[in-house]
Amino acid sequence: MNEMTKTREGAALYQQHAYSAAAQKALDRKPALFINNEWVESSHGATLPVEDPSSGKIVSHIVDASDRDVDRAVAAARAAFDDGRWSGLPPMAREKIMIRLADLLDAHAGEFAELEAIDQGKPKGMAAAIDIPGAISQIRYMAGWASKLGGETHAPYTMPAGLVFSYTLREPVGVCAQIVPWNFPLLMACMKIAPALAAGCTVVLKPAEQTSLTGLRLADLIALAGFPAGVLNIITGNGHTAGDRMVKHPDVDKVAFTGSTEIGKLINRNATATLKHVTLELGGKSPVVVMPDVDVATAAAGAAGAIFFNSGQVCIAGSRLFAHRSIFDQVVDGVAEASAFWAPRPSLDPEGHAGALNSKEHFDKVMSYIVAGKRDGASVVVGGDSPSDTGYYVNPTIMVNVNPQMSVVREEIFGPVVVAQRFDDLDEVAKMANDTCYGLGAGVWTKDVSALHRLAAKIKSGTVWGNCHAMIDAAIPFGGYKESGIGREQGRAGIDAYLETKAVIIQL
Ligand code: NAP
């Protein structure tokens, strides 16, 4: 494939398509920050380039926020929280404004999908089917919680009945600094802002510096939806400068972070000085277990989707495949066959199901893992190469003859690379699945209901899928065990993460 696609015909296949006028307008906007419902200039005028990973071309610029810019955004959020202009609204009003934001996003869904495709590298069709509706569903679902946040009354344990009246209030945590990664930019942003806003918190959001376009476009809709000034502020810039300032800022009450385990640990340490609330959604090395009773074609296609969807740039990517010894070769052949569906294409190619990796830096990292795997003795069944000299494309890659010491087996690659291993029985595969510092997601393919439940209980991860993978829903809690994170997003647990519980005890 490599040689064939690097011909002139192949080069044409990897040519990015033309942008729409709406997308071009968003790319041409003057770099600015969204603070207090206004577009404002940065204090120091520094910018960062925006690259289209499908072509490797610079297509726009964003602000690289300074410390003063961050301080300004935090001050806006602080004032908006402290005077109660948001938390003091009737819950019905907060719900209505959030639903209006969801409706506005819906109305501009095509434009958002295209911007996500240009910025992230993923197929526009995929963004239109998954990212944008997923982001909207987070807002719609959480909007409903705004009106359901009551506390409880409590019967005391050590005091006689009637001596005191005790109840709890659920109150918003305060000003939230929210930092998200580049793999599902708008979806990750909405997963963070929706529960915070429903709870009555105010927010400073920073998208990843590589993928800020949809966050900035979202800002256009904030005032239109009716949010009071300062409730949701969106800034852009580098993580180690602007992000760091947000995390350490004394006027921030909570940090919610999605990203790598390495940066998550750093943020957790940095937030400790002021004892902020912290929610961390971090990395993974998720197992996919294929039991001997499956329909191999179905399970293999599922296992291929588990790793190659979004070119493997998914925290819950099924990057470790465990197939029962009796069907191992058939499963690997099936995944190899299914991998053709996930061949990367430019993000605006309507035929594409997978795209380029997000950046040159990330492309180099993924390719270096493949080189390391081969050097350590792994064999490549398919892929292992790039089909194009322009853009950051990596072909779907399957590696066999691996062992648990290899970096390709132990470390999160975050690309379209799966390592396949054999197992003999359920206890053995549970042990192999748990042999990792991560614990985010796991997929099990079997018709045996009992085996499915036994594995679901044994595998240490925040989510276990049966006969599917990476299904997420705004109502179902999501998060990690072990070094995959702290806390949960989505569902009731997701809104609880933005609330304080206050006990009130009154002597009668
Ligand atoms: P990353 O390098 O950890 O960056 C994530 C975010 O943190 C970016 O906005 C980044 O800003 C910012 N950041 C970097 N250094 C910082 C610092 N010192 N202080 C504050 N913020 C800082 O992760 P990534 O490469 O963007 O994303 C991939 C990772 O995210 C993978 O490990 C993946 O598994 C994980 N992820 C987890 C989930 C989940 O739900 N568990 C979901 C999606 C992704 P800049 O990029 O602008 O520098």
Side-chain angles (χ1 to χ4, degrees), residues 149-154 167-170:
L149 301 178
E152 296 172 329
T153 57
H154 297 267
Y167 60 95
T168 48
L169 295 171
R170 309 301 312 280

PDB file of all heavy atoms in Angstrom, residues 149-154 167-170:
ATOM      1  N   LEU A 149     -31.566  19.443  41.739  1.00  0.00           N
ATOM      2  CA  LEU A 149     -30.362  19.416  42.580  1.00  0.00           C
ATOM      3  C   LEU A 149     -30.662  19.572  44.070  1.00  0.00           C
ATOM      4  O   LEU A 149     -29.821  20.018  44.821  1.00  0.00           O
ATOM      5  CB  LEU A 149     -29.396  20.521  42.126  1.00  0.00           C
ATOM      6  CG  LEU A 149     -28.937  20.411  40.670  1.00  0.00           C
ATOM      7  CD1 LEU A 149     -28.022  21.565  40.320  1.00  0.00           C
ATOM      8  CD2 LEU A 149     -28.235  19.081  40.427  1.00  0.00           C
ATOM      9  N   GLY A 150     -31.823  19.207  44.501  1.00  0.00           N
ATOM     10  CA  GLY A 150     -32.179  19.385  45.913  1.00  0.00           C
ATOM     11  C   GLY A 150     -31.375  18.501  46.844  1.00  0.00           C
ATOM     12  O   GLY A 150     -30.818  17.484  46.437  1.00  0.00           O
ATOM     13  N   GLY A 151     -31.319  18.905  48.138  1.00  0.00           N
ATOM     14  CA  GLY A 151     -30.659  18.080  49.150  1.00  0.00           C
ATOM     15  C   GLY A 151     -31.643  17.105  49.774  1.00  0.00           C
ATOM     16  O   GLY A 151     -32.669  16.759  49.165  1.00  0.00           O
ATOM     17  N   GLU A 152     -31.323  16.688  51.015  1.00  0.00           N
ATOM     18  CA  GLU A 152     -32.169  15.702  51.708  1.00  0.00           C
ATOM     19  C   GLU A 152     -32.384  16.166  53.139  1.00  0.00           C
ATOM     20  O   GLU A 152     -31.588  16.940  53.673  1.00  0.00           O
ATOM     21  CB  GLU A 152     -31.448  14.343  51.767  1.00  0.00           C
ATOM     22  CG  GLU A 152     -31.212  13.710  50.423  1.00  0.00           C
ATOM     23  CD  GLU A 152     -30.328  12.472  50.537  1.00  0.00           C
ATOM     24  OE1 GLU A 152     -29.467  12.430  51.433  1.00  0.00           O
ATOM     25  OE2 GLU A 152     -30.518  11.564  49.732  1.00  0.00           O
ATOM     26  N   THR A 153     -33.409  15.622  53.793  1.00  0.00           N
ATOM     27  CA  THR A 153     -33.481  15.797  55.247  1.00  0.00           C
ATOM     28  C   THR A 153     -32.873  14.549  55.868  1.00  0.00           C
ATOM     29  O   THR A 153     -32.854  13.474  55.254  1.00  0.00           O
ATOM     30  CB  THR A 153     -34.941  15.950  55.729  1.00  0.00           C
ATOM     31  OG1 THR A 153     -35.678  14.795  55.312  1.00  0.00           O
ATOM     32  CG2 THR A 153     -35.587  17.194  55.168  1.00  0.00           C
ATOM     33  N   HIS A 154     -32.331  14.726  57.108  1.00  0.00           N
ATOM     34  CA  HIS A 154     -31.619  13.613  57.739  1.00  0.00           C
ATOM     35  C   HIS A 154     -32.133  13.383  59.153  1.00  0.00           C
ATOM     36  O   HIS A 154     -32.245  14.331  59.932  1.00  0.00           O
ATOM     37  CB  HIS A 154     -30.117  13.903  57.788  1.00  0.00           C
ATOM     38  CG  HIS A 154     -29.507  14.020  56.424  1.00  0.00           C
ATOM     39  ND1 HIS A 154     -28.939  12.954  55.773  1.00  0.00           N
ATOM     40  CD2 HIS A 154     -29.410  15.066  55.575  1.00  0.00           C
ATOM     41  CE1 HIS A 154     -28.516  13.342  54.578  1.00  0.00           C
ATOM     42  NE2 HIS A 154     -28.792  14.627  54.432  1.00  0.00           N
ATOM     43  N   TYR A 167     -30.850  19.189  57.427  1.00  0.00           N
ATOM     44  CA  TYR A 167     -31.019  18.968  55.980  1.00  0.00           C
ATOM     45  C   TYR A 167     -29.725  19.352  55.259  1.00  0.00           C
ATOM     46  O   TYR A 167     -28.841  19.990  55.846  1.00  0.00           O
ATOM     47  CB  TYR A 167     -32.201  19.769  55.430  1.00  0.00           C
ATOM     48  CG  TYR A 167     -32.094  21.268  55.589  1.00  0.00           C
ATOM     49  CD1 TYR A 167     -31.586  22.051  54.553  1.00  0.00           C
ATOM     50  CD2 TYR A 167     -32.517  21.896  56.763  1.00  0.00           C
ATOM     51  CE1 TYR A 167     -31.505  23.436  54.684  1.00  0.00           C
ATOM     52  CE2 TYR A 167     -32.433  23.276  56.898  1.00  0.00           C
ATOM     53  CZ  TYR A 167     -31.924  24.045  55.868  1.00  0.00           C
ATOM     54  OH  TYR A 167     -31.828  25.398  56.004  1.00  0.00           O
ATOM     55  N   THR A 168     -29.633  18.919  54.025  1.00  0.00           N
ATOM     56  CA  THR A 168     -28.459  19.286  53.219  1.00  0.00           C
ATOM     57  C   THR A 168     -28.890  20.165  52.059  1.00  0.00           C
ATOM     58  O   THR A 168     -29.988  20.026  51.522  1.00  0.00           O
ATOM     59  CB  THR A 168     -27.732  18.041  52.666  1.00  0.00           C
ATOM     60  OG1 THR A 168     -28.689  17.166  52.081  1.00  0.00           O
ATOM     61  CG2 THR A 168     -26.954  17.323  53.727  1.00  0.00           C
ATOM     62  N   LEU A 169     -27.980  21.069  51.686  1.00  0.00           N
ATOM     63  CA  LEU A 169     -28.137  21.896  50.486  1.00  0.00           C
ATOM     64  C   LEU A 169     -27.066  21.466  49.494  1.00  0.00           C
ATOM     65  O   LEU A 169     -25.943  21.148  49.895  1.00  0.00           O
ATOM     66  CB  LEU A 169     -27.931  23.376  50.824  1.00  0.00           C
ATOM     67  CG  LEU A 169     -28.951  24.024  51.753  1.00  0.00           C
ATOM     68  CD1 LEU A 169     -28.467  25.420  52.159  1.00  0.00           C
ATOM     69  CD2 LEU A 169     -30.308  24.117  51.064  1.00  0.00           C
ATOM     70  N   ARG A 170     -27.399  21.435  48.225  1.00  0.00           N
ATOM     71  CA  ARG A 170     -26.384  21.178  47.191  1.00  0.00           C
ATOM     72  C   ARG A 170     -26.061  22.515  46.535  1.00  0.00           C
ATOM     73  O   ARG A 170     -26.940  23.145  45.953  1.00  0.00           O
ATOM     74  CB  ARG A 170     -26.895  20.185  46.134  1.00  0.00           C
ATOM     75  CG  ARG A 170     -27.491  18.889  46.671  1.00  0.00           C
ATOM     76  CD  ARG A 170     -26.543  18.050  47.515  1.00  0.00           C
ATOM     77  NE  ARG A 170     -25.213  17.818  46.982  1.00  0.00           N
ATOM     78  CZ  ARG A 170     -24.897  16.903  46.057  1.00  0.00           C
ATOM     79  NH1 ARG A 170     -25.819  16.146  45.543  1.00  0.00           N
ATOM     80  NH2 ARG A 170     -23.652  16.739  45.661  1.00  0.00           N
TER      81      ARG A 170
END
